[in-house]
Amino acid sequence: PFNNAKLRQAVNFALDREELMLAITWGFGAVKNQIWPEKSFWFMGNPPVKQDLAKVKRLLSEAGYPNGIDVKLEVKPGFLPVAEVVQNQLKKANIRAELGVIDWASLKPKMKDYNYNMVVSGAGWYSDPDARYGRFYASDGPANYFAGGYANSQVDDLIARGRIEVNQTKRKDIYQEIFNIVEEEVPHLMLFHLPMTHAYRKNVKGFSVTRQGDLAYSGGGLPHTWKD
């Protein structure tokens, strides 16, 4: 992970999310900077950042890399197409990324040791914001290694407050503040939402999926599906 916030911001502004989404989802996806859709109570109002190569150049210089930087971009095989587009976009911003394809069994321990520069991965859906922010951005969060060991005492305090606040509006304000800080410091960034599509014959009965498209879950999914 990059310990230099300027480098992380440079990567953030180097990416053209619209181009990336079109290349990977053929336009069926959507550019997003968070997991919640617009109609969700937990949706945060900040729009995704736009590509700004002039800003990237300035940020790289401020970070001490006026001639650009060489990094390692590691990826599980299933996310290789995304990584290849990211690599090409970073190259235009003078961030030279060497791709490394690695299976999850080997990548996970590397990430837990913080032995990586950049990783492309996927994210699921969470019903409560603490499950997202607490897991990834609390300094002791169980998925904090995805954020490179990110630690911010202000964020830790806000997460602790959000867990005990019972007023939903006040909770929303707390998580909005967390979101604002994370968007600025960029411990990791979201690119786009993938479309979830399922097809089945009319004689298949009882088929259902979760909000994020899971085929099997407690009380539903394929285990509770039958053919007429």
Side-chain angles (χ1 to χ4, degrees), residues 12-224:
N12 196 22
F13 284 102
L15 299 178
D16 184 336
R17 288 161 170 78
E18 185 72 21
E19 179 186 75
L20 182 58
M21 180 274 295
L22 291 171
I24 302 302
T25 75
W26 298 281
F28 290 101
V31 174
K32 299 290 181 180
N33 61 350
Q34 56 192 291
I35 63 172
W36 290 282
E38 285 81 353
K39 293 182 179 180
S40 169
F41 176 80
W42 298 114
F43 177 76
M44 306 300 170
N46 314 46
V49 302
K50 300 287 188 180
Q51 185 185 54
D52 188 335
L53 297 182
K55 191 168 186 176
V56 172
K57 184 177 181 180
R58 175 174 60 79
L59 287 166
L60 286 174
S61 293
E62 291 175 359
Y65 300 93
N67 299 317
I69 185 173
D70 296 293
V71 299
K72 184 72 175 289
L73 175 59
E74 296 178 275
V75 59
K76 294 179 286 186
F79 292 106
L80 180 58
V82 179
E84 289 173 334
V85 180
V86 168
Q87 179 191 40
N88 185 59
Q89 292 185 350
L90 292 177
K91 183 179 180 180
K92 296 175 183 177
N94 212 14
I95 300 172
R96 301 170 294 272
E98 176 191 354
L99 283 185
V101 181
I102 183 172
D103 62 84
W104 179 235
S106 301
L107 179 58
K108 185 175 182 179
K110 288 189 64 176
M111 293 181 69
K112 286 196 166 186
D113 288 338
Y114 309 121
N115 181 25
Y116 69 97
N117 291 147
M118 298 173 63
V119 168
V120 174
S121 190
W125 179 84
Y126 301 96
S127 59
D128 188 89
D130 180 68
R132 171 72 179 181
Y133 299 119
R135 277 176 54 80
F136 289 92
Y137 305 132
S139 56
D140 61 350
N144 177 267
Y145 60 93
F146 275 97
Y150 177 72
N152 181 312
S153 59
Q154 183 181 2
V155 170
D156 283 342
D157 179 64
L158 287 166
I159 288 172
R161 285 170 51 197
R163 286 172 176 165
I164 61 175
E165 178 57 63
V166 296
N167 182 289
Q168 290 292 69
T169 301
K170 292 181 179 179
R171 283 193 84 211
K172 173 70 178 292
D173 292 339
I174 290 172
Y175 291 113
Q176 177 71 64
E177 192 171 350
I178 295 171
F179 183 84
N180 293 344
I181 295 171
V182 169
E183 281 285 278
E184 177 65 25
E185 298 192 338
V186 206
H188 72 218
L189 51 91
M190 185 169 287
L191 301 172
F192 58 87
H193 284 187
L194 280 167
M196 300 298 295
T197 305
H198 302 91
Y200 53 96
R201 297 178 184 272
K202 290 181 179 180
N203 63 340
V204 174
K205 306 297 181 181
F207 177 69
S208 63
V209 298
T210 66
R211 290 184 64 175
Q212 69 174 15
D214 296 319
L215 294 176
Y217 58 95
S218 178
L222 289 179
H224 296 263

